[in-house]
Amino acid sequence: MNYDVKQSDATVMVVDDVPTNRYAMGAVLRRAGHHVVPVASAGEALSELDVRLRAGALPDVALVDVGLPDMSGFELCRRVKSTPSTAALPVVHFSATAVDAKDRCRGLDAGADAFLPVPAEPREIQAVVHAAVRGARRRTDAEALAHRLTLLSQAIITVQTARCLGELADAAAAGAARLTGTPAVVFVIGPDGEAHHGTSRSRLALSDAGPHQAAARLITRIADRRARVHSTVVPAPLWPTGFFRPGARDDAHLVLASTTEGRAQVCIATPASAAPQRGAGNCANGRDGLADDRRPIAVFPAERLAEATALAAEPLLMYQAERDIALTLQHSFLPQPHRLPHLPGVDLVVRYVPASRQTEIGGDFYAALPTRDGVLTAVGDVVGHSLDAATVMVEIRHALRAYCVEESDPRALAERLDRMLLHYHPEVTATVCLTLLDPATGRVRIANAGHIPPVILRDGGRAEYVRVCGPLLGLALDRPEPVELVLHREDRLLMVTDGLIETRGVDLTTSMEQLRTAAAGAPPGLDALCDTLLGCFGHEREDDIAMLALRLG
């Protein structure tokens, strides 16, 4: 680091009650090019410091006579150093009488940075001033470096805990704004060109998406995926107008970082001409600005943050790709309502709602199949949240379709699914509820494998769970006989997965009772029932939701 102080860049406060001494000391300092602030007493010095502190222009050093009339120079130094806002101000004591070792020690104990016996040679006075200022700036730079490293580490921790690409961009933008003291926008551009952007609170959000899209296209063109981290400045004519400030044309400073294999690009955009603000790691006199990357104190924090953001984007991109595959699987193999098979004598409504984008994909499924003995319906869930869970779900559903061609008894089907899961996926368990409805008689046979039991909604608004239970699939345990009941023409049967009602920290029995109460109060009709329950429970769930409701047609 270069800590040399120019000969004419220091503001020196001279505190002495003798006018001739103030004049003589001031003359020496002015000849060296310094700006001199003369004051005649300790009280006046404190008042002057208070005024300058409010204006953000503290002097660089204070030369304080030991023998002041209202307060000793030692006490004045002690007060200055005990006040946090002025503690960094270098204080140099001087005296023509108190020059022995005891006096010098008193000054140093009070917090002074040096002791100057007078009269002194002009060169000695100048050297003492330079040394005091240089030492203070060393300390200020060290504190600014520590502060900036703290901000950087906090920003990286926040970035690493992001759960999705949008949240990642917002976290990185907030961290970049704190580091630079300027508005910041962060783009994460995936391999398919899809761009996610986040903005800092210090930046006015543009209501029009056009500037963000234009900026993303420009970033894609200039990005060098061969370089892990690099930066560039985009001139204002090429950068969207009003991007950082309403109606203003700003040059944009871009810091770009690629993911490990260059699959995605991260860009931190800040205005190139904006000066750093206080609180962003710069000292009060403006000497420590982030824009000056030639100085090691800058530590290239934006580059380190961009690199950390790119590293954090890698697993999120992989997860998003995996989630898209799993959703494609589920949407491909779960028939949509308009593609359900024709089931004579039965009205049927299904709903499937994927979990929020911040959570992993699940293995929820439903099925409605015609058999030789009636209509077979199923709702189930493979334990776990991953692409593997989704693929096992597909296997279970296809196995059920194949088995019910020859066998329609719910208990026998559950046993076959149990054996299939044990044979091909011994480490996986699943839940499923199976019902076989004879539309001619309304007779229903129900087998349950660790799933939430169905709800029967009777005429008159009564709702109750069917008392049916059994062990999960994949445990090779004996299964009880199916429960039998009769479904009347006005009755509705509801089957759901636990993703609809399961809430972290809430007992499942409590959630099930809330579901029963909400179902009992739902309007007539199958669509109204499903929509009411999704309206009550289906907001930002942490698991997928599968729902099936039926009645005699």
Side-chain angles (χ1 to χ4, degrees), residues 86-374:
T86 58
L89 175 66
V91 174
V92 176
H93 282 135
F94 67 89
S95 177
T97 56
V99 294
D100 59 18
K102 182 177 69 173
D103 295 317
R104 293 196 298 270
C105 289
R106 282 188 65 191
L108 295 175
D109 290 341
D113 296 81
F115 197 101
L116 180 67
V118 291
E121 290 291 329
R123 291 182 59 185
E124 184 180 2
I125 296 174
Q126 295 168 15
V128 168
V129 168
H130 293 159
V133 173
R134 186 166 56 243
R137 288 177 179 171
R138 283 179 184 269
R139 291 192 297 271
T140 301
D141 282 351
E143 291 168 0
L145 173 58
H147 179 61
R148 181 163 300 140
L149 290 176
T150 299
L151 290 177
L152 178 61
S153 63
Q154 291 171 346
I156 290 175
I157 290 172
T158 306
V159 160
Q160 291 174 337
T161 57
R163 298 173 298 171
C164 64
L165 293 173
E167 192 174 299
L168 174 69
D170 283 334
R178 286 192 294 269
L179 281 167
T180 63
T182 66
V185 184
V186 171
F187 291 88
V188 181
I189 304 174
D192 57 355
E194 181 184 7
H196 303 265
H197 74 270
T199 62
S200 64
R201 291 186 178 182
S202 60
R203 174 182 176 271
L204 292 174
L206 294 174
S207 57
D208 184 9
H212 291 118
Q213 295 170 354
R217 289 194 296 270
L218 179 60
I219 291 166
T220 301
R221 288 200 299 270
I222 66 177
D224 183 0
R225 296 183 183 271
R226 296 169 300 175
R228 187 65 184 272
V229 182
H230 68 286
S231 61
T232 186
V233 174
V234 178
L238 301 179
W239 191 252
T241 300
F243 196 83
F244 299 112
R245 296 176 297 159
R249 298 175 68 89
D250 290 292
D251 295 342
H253 180 248
L254 306 184
V255 179
L256 302 104
S258 297
T259 53
T260 306
E261 298 181 4
R263 286 191 291 266
Q265 194 76 29
V266 168
C267 174
I268 297 177
T270 54
S273 58
Q277 300 171 0
R278 270 184 219 169
N282 53 301
C283 60
N285 60 16
R287 290 177 53 84
D288 179 24
L290 188 62
D292 187 8
D293 278 348
R294 295 170 299 174
R295 300 179 65 192
I297 193 171
V299 203
F300 304 105
E303 285 85 346
R304 299 290 77 79
L305 179 58
E307 189 173 21
T309 305
L311 290 173
E314 190 84 31
L316 294 176
L317 287 164
M318 293 176 63
Y319 162 69
Q320 180 172 290
E322 180 179 290
R323 191 175 193 276
D324 290 342
I325 293 171
L327 281 175
T328 301
L329 275 173
Q330 290 185 321
H331 282 254
S332 298
F333 292 105
L334 291 179
Q336 300 304 305
H338 64 279
R339 297 174 55 193
L340 286 170
H342 177 60
L343 303 170
V346 174
D347 291 338
L348 184 74
V349 168
V350 296
R351 296 284 190 273
Y352 177 77
V353 182
S356 64
R357 296 188 66 86
Q358 286 75 28
T359 54
E360 295 183 283
I361 199 72
D364 296 34
F365 67 95
Y366 58 79
L369 305 165
T371 73
R372 63 190 180 189
D373 298 316

Side-chain angles (χ1 to χ4, degrees), residues 506-528:
V506 178
D507 188 77
L508 184 59
T509 57
T510 301
S511 299
M512 288 176 62
E513 177 58 23
Q514 292 172 347
L515 172 64
R516 189 196 65 78
T517 302
L526 301 180
D527 284 299

